[in-house]
Amino acid sequence: GQNIDQPTEMTATEGAIVQINCTYQTSGFNGLFWYQQHAGEAPTFLSYNVLDGLEEKGRFSSFLSRSKGYSYLLLKELQMKDSASYLCAVRDSNYQLIWGAGTKLIIKP
Amino acid sequence: ETGVTQTPRHLVMGMTNKKSLKCEQHLGHNAMYWYKQSAKKPLELMFVYNFKEQTENNSVPSRFSPECPNSSHLFLHLHTLQPEDSALYLCASSQELAPQNIQYFGAGTRLSVL
């Protein structure tokens, strides 16, 4: 079966750095997406990785290792508004998006 | 604003009711999707439409009936639902079905079935 694993919940402090991990087992790989979803709002696109390595976009970075079936989302200089759920999704060989259950990130002052 | 609008935002219905969810995208996209999001579970893809044609039905019960009259509008018709159908229903769109295409989501309809 296909599976995406990410921690259910994480807590971090304002101004700090947090890394949210995502491991996947899918039938094939055609890219990995990270989305942010605030409570009661639409998921919004953060990043897309298809090649190994680090993609940096402002305070957010996303890393991919295809050989390890592993990705992480790195959030720097955390702000209270970063409190949200972070969803990892992998596109498989059939071009279906397989989603993780999401990681709820709680930022404390 | 993501360019994808869903109405209503909240819906409470009895098991014998018939209701419809509406999704409209203003992004000029050709592909549209319905997802079900239950608490602490991964998003479940329900239906996919590409250029108004249904390309995916993920074994969804017939009490859910999608309709796509044009590339900008998507409906989900509901009838004789069960309490376990209570969830957040999300609509999304993308330029096309290419692997790298980003899906843009609406804020969802929170459905409660009594």
Side-chain angles (χ1 to χ4, degrees), chain B residues 9-26:
Chain B
R9 290 294 310 275
H10 301 274
L11 179 62
V12 179
M13 59 187 289
M15 293 169 62
T16 58
N17 291 159
K18 288 184 180 182
K19 296 287 184 183
S20 295
L21 310 184
K22 179 182 176 182
C23 176
E24 183 175 0
Q25 57 96 358
H26 308 276

Side-chain angles (χ1 to χ4, degrees), chain A residues 8 30 33 35 37 40-45 48 87 91 95-97 99-101, chain B residues 9 35 37 40-43 45 56 58 88 90 99-103 105-107:
Chain A
T8 303
N30 279 296
F33 295 82
Y35 279 79
Q37 185 179 23
E41 297 183 15
T44 55
F45 169 77
Y48 171 69
L87 312 179
R91 198 176 293 281
Y95 300 105
Q96 293 273 20
L97 262 184
W99 293 83
Chain B
R9 290 294 310 275
Y35 284 92
Q37 187 176 35
K40 299 185 179 181
K41 289 186 177 180
L43 266 68
L45 180 65
E56 192 76 37
N58 263 6
L88 181 67
L90 291 166
Q100 72 276 13
N101 276 189
I102 299 164
Q103 292 185 14
F105 287 83

Side-chain angles (χ1 to χ4, degrees), chain A residues 54-96:
Chain A
L54 188 68
E55 294 277 345
E56 296 185 80
K57 195 184 289 186
R59 293 189 300 114
F60 292 8
S61 303
S62 57
F63 172 83
L64 174 67
S65 169
R66 288 171 296 170
S67 62
K68 295 182 179 177
Y70 168 70
S71 172
Y72 67 73
L73 181 68
L74 191 71
L75 290 73
K76 302 177 183 176
E77 301 169 16
L78 286 170
Q79 302 175 10
M80 297 304 292
K81 67 178 182 179
D82 297 329
S83 291
S85 288
Y86 291 85
L87 312 179
C88 173
V90 172
R91 198 176 293 281
D92 69 9
S93 57
N94 293 320
Y95 300 105
Q96 293 273 20

